[in-house]
Amino acid sequence: GGQLTAWTEGPYTFDYCLHWLVGTGHGTSNEIWREIGAIQPTTEVINHEVFGRIEDDDLGEFVLYCDMDRWEAYLKGLAPEDSNAIHKLCNMMRQANKADAWSFENPPEFRSLWDYFRAVFKSATFLPVVGRYKTCTCRELMKDLGFQNTRLLGFLDKMFGKDDFPALALIMVMGWQHAKNAGYLKGGSR
């Protein structure tokens, strides 16, 4: 989380906190934001087209689109030989929003076995992804998926290549972006 720090200087607002917020579109988090007043009926949510962009002297430009269909097509244009790996990665991201099924409204002591069964059923296609990549880094994910194109791997490494950057963090964040469930609240944290 951020520091919830924003200040105004003349006509400008400097928001050091909010880049995107999980739950701006739907789900339990959305219900909580609405209940506490963080998202109101008049709150404008901005869902960006681009999550990130790199301009590298050696590699050129790389764009990380929020829409996985668009990003998949873009990546396949950069690295057609990695089409299968690209499709697998983007598909995982498309399915990631199913993990919202594990956001329960009630505390554990008030949940029934049926609540857990429903969560498993709703997220069944995403659970193998969690099981397989829960302890992997992004580098390990790219290797496991079989990425070969050195330019594409260079971009992905620059963006997510830190030794400890979790693969599931990348998959989940981009899944929320794709589902338009991690937008920016216009006005930020003020």
Side-chain angles (χ1 to χ4, degrees), residues 76 79-89 145:
K76 286 179 177 179
E81 68 274 25
D82 284 339
S83 289
N84 191 38
I86 290 165
H87 181 71
K88 287 178 186 176
L89 177 64
L145 291 175

Side-chain angles (χ1 to χ4, degrees), residues 29-50:
S29 295
N30 183 270
E31 293 169 15
I32 292 169
W33 298 136
R34 291 185 184 284
E35 184 177 322
I36 66 171
I39 297 178
Q40 299 181 9
T42 57
T43 302
E44 184 181 345
V45 177
I46 299 167
N47 291 296
H48 295 285
E49 289 184 34
V50 174

Side-chain angles (χ1 to χ4, degrees), residues 132-185:
R132 185 166 185 159
Y133 297 111
K134 66 180 179 258
T135 61
C136 290
T137 66
C138 284
R139 281 185 181 149
E140 293 166 333
L141 170 67
M142 300 311 156
K143 183 178 180 181
D144 186 63
L145 291 175
F147 280 88
Q148 299 295 317
N149 184 285
T150 55
R151 183 170 178 237
L152 179 55
L153 282 168
F155 282 130
L156 293 170
D157 197 57
K158 284 185 180 289
M159 198 167 262
F160 305 107
K162 295 197 183 284
D163 289 335
D164 60 348
F165 196 90
L168 276 180
L170 169 64
I171 294 167
M172 296 295 296
V173 167
M174 295 316 301
W176 292 322
Q177 292 292 328
H178 175 72
K180 297 190 181 332
N181 200 25
Y184 174 78
L185 303 181

